[in-house]
Amino acid sequence: MRMDKLTSKLQQALADSQSLAVGRDHNEIQPQHLLLALLDGEGGSVRPLLDGAGLNVREIRNQLLKSLDNLATVTQATGDVNPSQALVRVLNLSDKLAQKRGDAFVSSELIVLAMLEDNSEAGKILKNAGATRDNLLKQI
C-alpha cells in the first residue's frame, strides 16, 4: 500500500501503532495496535464514529488492551517491528473500499470498516461491541 494514499491522521496512527508495539515488546503491528492508536489519537474521527454508532468506546478500548496483553512478546527486544499479515490485509481491504467509493485517500473510517469486514481480532472486538457495517456507514 502506498503511504501517500493514507490521510495524515491515519499515517500518524500507524506511527503510533508501531510505537505501541515496540513499547509492549511485540514483534508485529497488529490491527489491535492500530485501532487503539486511532481511538487514542487527538482530533481523530474514530472515537466519534464509534460513539455515534452507539458503541461503548471505553469497553472497546479495554478489550483492545486485554487483547494486546495476550500477544506474545519478544525476550530480546530489538525495536524491529513489522506489520502483521492481519494488518496488511486490513490496509489492502481499506484501499479496495476507498477505490470502490471513488475516494482518493484511505481514511481512518475506512480502516474501521475494513477491520469489521476482516476476521482479525480487532474486527471481532468491534463486532462483539455491536458494530455493524450499516451502523458505521450511517456515521460516515
Side-chain angles (χ1 to χ4, degrees):
M1 161 159 277
R2 292 178 30 201
M3 292 298 284
D4 63 335
K5 288 188 73 176
L6 307 179
T7 63
S8 59
K9 287 285 187 193
L10 183 51
Q11 288 179 32
Q12 180 62 50
L14 275 171
D16 292 344
S17 65
Q18 179 180 8
S19 182
L20 276 170
V22 168
R24 289 175 160 267
D25 293 326
H26 297 148
N27 64 344
E28 291 184 320
I29 307 165
Q30 297 290 340
Q32 302 94 290
H33 292 106
L34 180 55
L35 185 53
L36 184 60
L38 287 167
L39 284 175
D40 289 349
E42 285 189 35
S45 58
V46 171
R47 186 174 288 270
L49 170 71
L50 298 178
D51 273 335
L55 305 178
N56 184 338
V57 176
R58 183 178 302 151
E59 182 59 25
I60 291 170
R61 190 175 187 286
N62 288 339
Q63 291 302 313
L64 289 169
L65 290 170
K66 189 183 295 185
S67 174
L68 292 176
D69 287 344
N70 290 329
L71 291 177
T73 58
V74 291
T75 53
Q76 292 184 336
T78 62
D80 192 22
V81 63
N82 294 302
S84 68
Q85 288 292 10
L87 181 61
V88 171
R89 255 191 339 268
V90 165
L91 291 170
N92 287 337
L93 184 54
S94 62
D95 186 20
K96 187 175 183 176
L97 290 171
Q99 289 178 37
K100 283 184 178 180
R101 292 170 51 97
D103 294 343
F105 293 96
V106 175
S107 66
S108 301
E109 296 91 345
L110 292 180
I111 288 286
V112 174
L113 279 176
M115 286 179 183
L116 192 60
E117 290 184 14
D118 187 64
N119 205 21
S120 68
E121 185 63 24
K124 290 175 186 174
I125 290 170
L126 288 168
K127 287 174 190 170
N128 288 340
T132 65
R133 181 174 172 78
D134 288 342
N135 68 3
L136 292 180
L137 281 174
K138 288 178 186 174
Q139 301 303 312
I140 295 178

